Structures are given as structure tokens and as C-alpha cells.
Amino acid sequence: MGKFSKAGGREMPELNTSSLPDLVFAFLFFIMMVTSMREVTLKVQFRAPAATELQKLEKKSLVTFIYVGKPMPELQKQFGSESRVQLNDQFAEISEIQNYIAQEKSSMKEEDQPFMTVSIKADKDTKMGIITDIKQALREAYALKISYSATKRVD
């Protein structure tokens, strides 16, 4: 019968970590690409409509959103239950839209300003009069590209 014994003091070889920074960078890059950050906290209720036509936007950074709908339930005590306009994170009046568009245009590069698109995201229960007033304010602010998304009411 043979005798098994450890010969000498063999040590465990060191772990090669030279490629670890490359792996961490690749993982971080992947997470950054698949994650999207919400820029605006919605304060109005918005039920997205079923789309019948789609238009692909080349640069999403050139899109400015105007949200229209009833305030969230926790804000209805303060702001009422009628449809309100939300610009960025604040409720606003229709008369403030022109200043908002001018401010958004001034924050863009000069060569991108003609390609600015304003997207009106309205709840399906929003009255068309409010949408018409918003569109008129946008025309006066020289917002040339306006997209509108809402569902049609079937009575």
C-alpha cells in the first residue's frame, strides 16, 4: 500500500485580476445603455392611448413634453379635479406655455432649435377646448412641430 503525503509547501497560485477593470467597465456601460431616467415626475393622471400611427423620433433630446390631465388623487384636494397642464414638474396655466417653449429653445443648441418637437400627452378625458388652447399657444410661440397623443371618446 502506498502512502500519500503532501510534498513540500506548495502554495496556491495568485488569481490574475488584470482583466477585472475591463469587465466592470463593460458591465457599467451595459447598465447605462439599458437604463432610462425619468426626468419629470407626473402630477397628472395620464392613460396612454392605443396608437394607430407611429412616428420615429431621430433625437429624443429634442422633444419637449406637455402633460394634460386631472391631478393625481393626492393633489386633487389642493388643485381640484379639473384637467390641469403640467410643464416639467410644475402645474402651469396656458398663458405660461409661450415662456416655457422659449426657455426650452434657449437651452438647446442653435442648430437643433428648428427640429424641436413639442409632444402633448393628454388624458383621454381631457376636453378638446384645453388642447385647442394649448395648440394656439404653441403656434404663437412658433413651435412648428407638434405631436398629439390622446384617445378619441366614443359616446
Side-chain angles (χ1 to χ4, degrees):
M1 229 166 147
K3 187 175 178 186
F4 297 101
S5 67
K6 253 186 171 178
R10 292 190 303 181
E11 292 183 19
M12 186 77 147
E14 287 189 31
L15 185 61
N16 185 2
T17 59
S18 63
S19 63
L20 190 59
D22 294 334
L23 292 171
V24 170
F25 178 74
F27 180 70
L28 180 63
F29 184 73
F30 173 76
I31 295 298
M32 288 173 48
M33 293 304 295
V34 299
T35 304
S36 64
M37 298 293 217
R38 178 169 279 254
E39 296 176 9
V40 176
T41 303
L42 287 179
K43 294 184 177 184
V44 296
Q45 297 174 8
F46 173 72
R47 289 172 282 186
T52 56
E53 293 181 24
L54 295 177
Q55 179 182 8
K56 185 172 179 170
L57 299 172
E58 295 299 322
K59 283 189 171 181
K60 290 183 181 181
S61 62
L62 299 178
V63 179
T64 301
F65 294 98
I66 297 177
Y67 299 95
V68 184
K70 293 181 182 178
M72 292 290 187
E74 60 270 9
L75 298 172
Q76 285 185 359
K77 194 171 193 179
Q78 183 180 2
F79 295 104
S81 61
E82 290 296 315
S83 291
R84 300 288 308 247
V85 176
Q86 179 182 340
L87 306 174
N88 285 334
D89 286 333
Q90 300 294 322
F91 286 121
E93 298 297 322
I94 294 174
S95 60
E96 299 174 42
I97 291 176
Q98 290 181 12
N99 292 334
Y100 171 71
I101 296 300
Q103 179 184 3
E104 290 292 313
K105 276 187 177 180
S106 66
S107 67
M108 293 180 177
K109 295 178 187 174
E110 193 170 328
E111 62 268 10
D112 289 339
Q113 289 179 1
F115 302 108
M116 177 182 171
T117 302
V118 179
S119 178
I120 302 171
K121 293 196 170 204
D123 188 62
K124 70 178 187 176
D125 294 329
T126 301
K127 295 181 179 171
M128 198 59 199
I130 295 172
I131 304 299
T132 304
D133 293 342
I134 292 171
K135 285 182 172 183
Q136 185 60 36
L138 290 171
R139 284 185 197 103
E140 292 171 7
Y142 300 107
L144 302 176
K145 286 184 168 183
I146 303 170
S147 68
Y148 172 69
S149 61
T151 55
K152 293 181 181 177
R153 290 173 64 164
V154 178
D155 294 330

